[in-house]
Amino acid sequence: MRDIVVVGAAETKFGKLESSFRDIAVEAANAAMADAGIDRQQIEAMYLGTFSPGTFIHQEHPAPLVASMLGLAHVPTTRTENACASGSSAFLQGLMAIGSGMYDTVLVVGAEKMTSTPIEETTQILAEAADWESETLAGATFPSLFALMARRHMHEFGTTRAHLSAVAIKNHHNAFRNPYAQFHREITEADINNSAMIADPLTLYDCSPVTDGAAAVVISTRERARNLAGQPVKVLGFGQASDSLSLFRREDMTCLVSARKASERAYKMAGIGPSDVSFAEVHDCFTIAEIVATEDLGFFDRGQGGPAALAGETALNGRIPVNPSGGLKGKGHPVGATGVSQVVESVFQLRGTAGERQVASRDIGLTHNVGGSGATCVVTILGQAA
Amino acid sequence: MRDIVVVGAAETKFGKLESSFRDIAVEAANAAMADAGIDRQQIEAMYLGTFSPGTFIHQEHPAPLVASMLGLAHVPTTRTENACASGSSAFLQGLMAIGSGMYDTVLVVGAEKMTSTPIEETTQILAEAADWESETLAGATFPSLFALMARRHMHEFGTTRAHLSAVAIKNHHNAFRNPYAQFHREITEADINNSAMIADPLTLYDCSPVTDGAAAVVISTRERARNLAGQPVKVLGFGQASDSLSLFRREDMTCLVSARKASERAYKMAGIGPSDVSFAEVHDCFTIAEIVATEDLGFFDRGQGGPAALAGETALNGRIPVNPSGGLKGKGHPVGATGVSQVVESVFQLRGTAGERQVASRDIGLTHNVGGSGATCVVTILGQAA
């Protein structure tokens, strides 16, 4: 596949926003095109990652809606959905579309508007990304599914409350330094211990929030990007894998095979290994998910993700900073936007423009975006274009 | 882009089915793999086109569900959604994924389960593919939007009730000869004139039905397909285009600019023109839509689609047979399956295996799949592989 770069990247503020779905998608997309220094007439196709606009805002068929509101006259545009990995799935379709030679320059947008829906409905809508027949109908919601994983991880490897807390504390610390993040409040172990239990052992502070937000990137060939003002970042590799939708059909609940396969594929395509990664944005929908992710990605041995987090190895100034943006936990988790936002943060970090949360080593960034309880995983690897 | 062929094609019976969403998706996919003579271990990725499983059956994240039920262990899989063009959008992502060199062999599935939902809800769900803010909230549903187009087409070009009826009668005639079709009943002008008015001038027989069904194709490189038993059909070209989601923002209601642009792009890629097409499967969600389609695709001049249908030019034995399958009107319209089913029918016709509905000239087949009232259009052109 020919060389592809990300040449523009932007996102909205994440949180409970007044703006509508269409407003935030347009805001992020316009900002990404401005960051790229590109004229909208040069955009040849658009992909939109969004999870469930049909249930959240009664609007299906959102891709041409956003494209026409952006003034992208008659471009081919398609929505992708893979639950919480809808955004990275859109990014991958954009990469392959350029890779095929059909288009040279593509806009990828991820967006979700969640907070205008009553919270009980939101929990139900999210639960529809699990297996309706074997999980959702039986009362399972995502906190309970990840609680099962957490309990098993604790049982198998001795992972502790303090390990989970270390992830939450770190990600709030990082989010405090991210102007786009939903939460700007550092938290302590006492806050966590005094918070509500959601699904034992996961407390309120182990869970990512309900969020509105959008993120967008402009991707192009290296040649085309030379004529643009945006500082390019190279796509070194990507990988995607799937698994059974339902947790009970998997052999092991302490790792995600989809994440292991997706990262193997991405590492192979990039020609690197885990030790070459400078920093990572991983899918911490719950604190346990970040611990599992850092093991699945090969940063730590199995069972060592918790101790590593507690020892500060994944902190901003640690050996391998994980979720410098604050992650889903601190930055927020507007479902369809998250995968694109991970790429946006990686672009900022690789460019060295991440301000107070800038990591020191910035050769290679990795993103890890999970759908459902791990039925989908998408991994991308980005590096310096020079 | 390298040469790509469709090497396996299959679909379920369309209609009100007892089977669940997952059952029909699996049935079509297994049949397509059997038709290709391929072992499932050779499938490297899967795309699933489906419109709104979140609202119809409370199941989001359906792509890995179907992939794992098929035993496609850990393949990358993604759902695409573009309203009624969700299926062809999945097909295009599969083509570009192979075109990029990422995968050599891809399974594309389209499916929708609609009849287990109460009909009033179904109308509402479908209406969410229109612009919620400017159309759906104002009471517009798809019959009313296409009725506006019909009235304007009548006013501009003198299109008549008899022209619309000719389309419905032809498509029921063809469906009667298609074992996969929902309706196996020929209709007469009297049936139409005595039927209920849905949205003036569109009667019950001008509208496609609510349908369950699934369709699937296996696509691969020409080289890989040489080792498979399935008779290959070549993908000569494809094109996609978008337009504003809302009808009122368009300059003209008597044509779809998205269809004109998508077909221009597909013709250019295939290196052919409208007069080279042997037969076409077009998106006749309403009878007026087929008349407009045959004009947009360049088969007839503007305003001549109605008279041509009445003159039998689009009949099975006409100059250019349109919807030999029976189309959405006669075969049925399981939204996400339709675009894939159009490709399946084209494969059957190009192979010469379409039985009683076989067209005589079978060099080149074209498919035309529309999303919403024309905010999306996807056109593909298939031909003999030899």
Side-chain angles (χ1 to χ4, degrees):
Chain A
M1 201 181 304
R2 55 188 181 157
D3 283 354
I4 304 177
V5 297
V6 182
V7 67
E11 59 196 344
T12 64
K13 174 90 172 72
F14 281 12
K16 184 169 169 51
L17 307 178
E18 291 295 317
S19 321
S20 70
F21 176 88
R22 49 190 84 191
D23 288 339
I24 56 178
V26 164
E27 178 188 336
N30 275 330
M33 288 189 282
D35 181 62
I38 200 170
D39 192 90
R40 67 194 66 230
Q41 274 72 45
Q42 293 175 265
I43 302 292
E44 294 171 85
M46 193 195 94
Y47 287 92
L48 175 64
T50 184
F51 166 54
S52 196
T55 48
F56 282 130
I57 56 161
H58 302 289
Q59 184 63 71
E60 303 283 9
H61 205 189
L65 174 69
V66 172
S68 67
M69 289 191 72
L70 284 167
L72 303 178
H74 307 299
V75 296
T77 184
T78 296
R79 170 191 168 203
T80 61
E81 186 266 318
N82 258 337
C84 305
S86 297
S88 56
S89 296
F91 184 59
L92 259 54
Q93 302 324 307
L95 295 177
M96 288 187 279
I98 293 177
S100 76
M102 272 301 287
Y103 315 118
D104 288 327
T105 305
V106 170
L107 175 67
V108 180
V109 183
E112 208 84 46
K113 176 72 186 180
M114 303 174 73
T115 69
S116 52
T117 306
I119 190 70
E120 319 79 54
E121 276 181 51
T122 299
T123 301
Q124 183 61 32
I125 292 168
L126 291 169
E128 293 183 0
D131 185 338
W132 178 258
E133 292 188 7
S134 72
E135 295 181 325
T136 322
L137 273 181
T141 60
F142 278 98
S144 64
L145 293 170
F146 278 89
L148 289 170
M149 294 188 221
R151 272 280 169 240
R152 190 72 204 173
H153 205 274
M154 289 169 152
H155 175 77
E156 293 274 343
F157 302 116
T159 298
T160 65
R161 174 67 259 171
H163 297 152
L164 299 176
S165 297
V167 171
I169 292 165
K170 166 182 70 69
N171 288 351
H172 273 262
H173 175 88
N174 295 354
F176 187 69
R177 285 147 183 83
N178 183 353
Y180 300 101
Q182 180 163 9
F183 295 131
H184 287 140
R185 190 166 78 80
E186 303 244 13
I187 61 168
T188 65
E189 218 157 338
D191 290 327
I192 299 170
N193 294 336
N194 293 328
S195 72
M197 183 63 72
I198 304 298
D200 195 1
L202 303 178
T203 71
L204 184 66
Y205 284 106
D206 291 296
C207 307
S208 58
V210 170
T211 311
D212 306 323
V217 293
V218 175
I219 53 179
S220 191
T221 61
R222 183 182 272 235
E223 293 67 39
R224 286 288 174 108
R226 287 216 174 87
N227 303 317
L228 298 172
Q231 189 188 335
V233 154
K234 190 176 172 191
V235 179
L236 302 175
F238 58 89
Q240 182 183 357
S242 62
D243 206 339
S244 73
L245 201 55
S246 45
L247 203 54
F248 86 95
R249 288 184 203 275
R250 302 186 201 150
E251 285 183 23
D252 190 335
M253 288 209 298
T254 62
C255 71
L256 299 186
V257 174
S258 60
R260 296 186 162 250
K261 297 265 182 194
S263 56
E264 269 170 29
R265 291 165 185 170
Y267 286 137
K268 188 177 170 195
M269 185 171 173
I272 66 161
S275 63
D276 298 308
V277 175
S278 314
F279 65 90
E281 284 285 312
V282 311
H283 198 89
D284 61 321
C285 47
F286 299 93
T287 48
I288 183 63
E290 175 166 321
I291 289 172
V292 171
T294 57
E295 297 171 5
D296 288 339
L297 294 166
F299 300 153
F300 308 111
D301 288 341
R302 290 191 69 173
Q304 294 309 305
L310 189 59
E313 295 195 51
T314 56
L316 268 189
N317 60 355
R319 181 166 71 78
I320 170 152
V322 171
N323 282 327
S325 72
L328 285 61
K329 177 74 204 81
K331 186 173 57 172
H333 181 27
V335 175
T338 289
V340 181
S341 170
Q342 291 177 327
V343 174
V344 169
E345 176 70 12
S346 300
V347 170
F348 293 165
Q349 292 288 350
L350 288 164
R351 285 177 175 171
T353 61
E356 284 185 74
R357 67 188 189 284
Q358 179 65 48
V359 299
S361 169
R362 54 183 180 94
D363 295 324
I364 292 176
L366 178 148
T367 72
H368 159 280
N369 189 202
V370 171
S373 64
T376 296
C377 186
V378 175
V379 170
T380 76
I381 300 176
L382 306 173
Q384 298 298 338
Chain B
M1 202 183 305
R2 55 191 182 156
D3 282 354
I4 304 177
V5 296
V6 182
V7 68
E11 58 196 345
T12 64
K13 174 90 171 72
F14 281 12
K16 184 169 169 55
L17 306 178
E18 290 295 317
S19 322
S20 70
F21 175 89
R22 49 189 84 189
D23 289 339
I24 56 177
V26 164
E27 179 188 335
N30 275 330
M33 288 189 283
D35 181 62
I38 200 169
D39 193 89
R40 68 195 66 231
Q41 274 72 46
Q42 293 174 265
I43 303 291
E44 296 171 83
M46 193 194 94
Y47 286 91
L48 175 63
T50 184
F51 166 54
S52 196
T55 48
F56 282 130
I57 57 162
H58 302 289
Q59 184 64 71
E60 302 283 9
H61 207 189
L65 173 68
V66 172
S68 66
M69 289 192 72
L70 285 167
L72 303 179
H74 306 300
V75 297
T77 185
T78 296
R79 169 190 170 206
T80 60
E81 186 265 320
N82 258 336
C84 305
S86 297
S88 56
S89 296
F91 184 59
L92 259 53
Q93 302 324 308
L95 296 176
M96 287 187 277
I98 293 178
S100 76
M102 271 302 286
Y103 315 118
D104 288 329
T105 306
V106 171
L107 175 67
V108 180
V109 183
E112 207 84 48
K113 176 72 183 178
M114 302 173 75
T115 70
S116 52
T117 306
I119 190 69
E120 320 77 57
E121 275 181 52
T122 300
T123 300
Q124 182 62 33
I125 291 167
L126 291 169
E128 293 182 0
D131 185 337
W132 178 258
E133 292 188 6
S134 70
E135 295 180 326
T136 322
L137 272 182
T141 60
F142 278 100
S144 65
L145 293 170
F146 278 88
L148 289 171
M149 294 188 222
R151 272 280 168 239
R152 189 72 202 173
H153 205 274
M154 289 170 153
H155 175 77
E156 293 272 343
F157 302 116
T159 297
T160 65
R161 174 68 260 170
H163 296 154
L164 299 176
S165 296
V167 171
I169 292 167
K170 166 183 70 69
N171 288 350
H172 272 263
H173 175 88
N174 296 354
F176 187 69
R177 285 146 184 82
N178 183 353
Y180 300 102
Q182 181 164 7
F183 295 132
H184 287 139
R185 191 166 77 80
E186 303 244 13
I187 61 167
T188 64
E189 218 158 339
D191 290 328
I192 298 169
N193 293 336
N194 293 327
S195 72
M197 184 61 74
I198 303 299
D200 196 1
L202 303 178
T203 73
L204 184 65
Y205 283 107
D206 291 296
C207 307
S208 58
V210 170
T211 312
D212 305 324
V217 292
V218 176
I219 53 179
S220 190
T221 62
R222 184 182 271 234
E223 294 66 40
R224 286 287 173 109
R226 287 216 173 85
N227 303 318
L228 298 172
Q231 187 188 336
V233 153
K234 191 175 170 191
V235 179
L236 302 176
F238 59 87
Q240 182 183 358
S242 62
D243 206 340
S244 73
L245 201 55
S246 47
L247 203 54
F248 86 93
R249 287 184 205 276
R250 301 187 201 149
E251 286 185 21
D252 190 336
M253 290 209 297
T254 63
C255 72
L256 300 186
V257 173
S258 60
R260 296 187 161 250
K261 297 263 183 196
S263 56
E264 269 170 30
R265 290 166 185 169
Y267 286 137
K268 187 177 173 196
M269 185 172 173
I272 66 161
S275 62
D276 298 309
V277 175
S278 314
F279 65 90
E281 285 284 313
V282 311
H283 197 90
D284 60 321
C285 47
F286 299 93
T287 48
I288 184 62
E290 175 167 320
I291 290 172
V292 169
T294 57
E295 296 171 3
D296 288 339
L297 294 166
F299 300 154
F300 307 111
D301 289 340
R302 291 191 70 173
Q304 294 307 305
L310 189 60
E313 293 195 51
T314 56
L316 268 189
N317 60 356
R319 181 166 71 78
I320 172 152
V322 171
N323 283 327
S325 73
L328 285 60
K329 178 72 204 81
K331 186 174 58 173
H333 181 29
V335 173
T338 289
V340 181
S341 170
Q342 292 177 327
V343 174
V344 169
E345 176 71 12
S346 301
V347 170
F348 293 165
Q349 293 287 351
L350 288 165
R351 285 176 175 173
T353 61
E356 286 185 73
R357 67 187 189 284
Q358 179 65 49
V359 299
S361 170
R362 54 182 181 93
D363 296 322
I364 291 175
L366 177 147
T367 72
H368 159 278
N369 190 200
V370 170
S373 64
T376 295
C377 186
V378 175
V379 170
T380 76
I381 300 175
L382 306 173
Q384 299 298 337

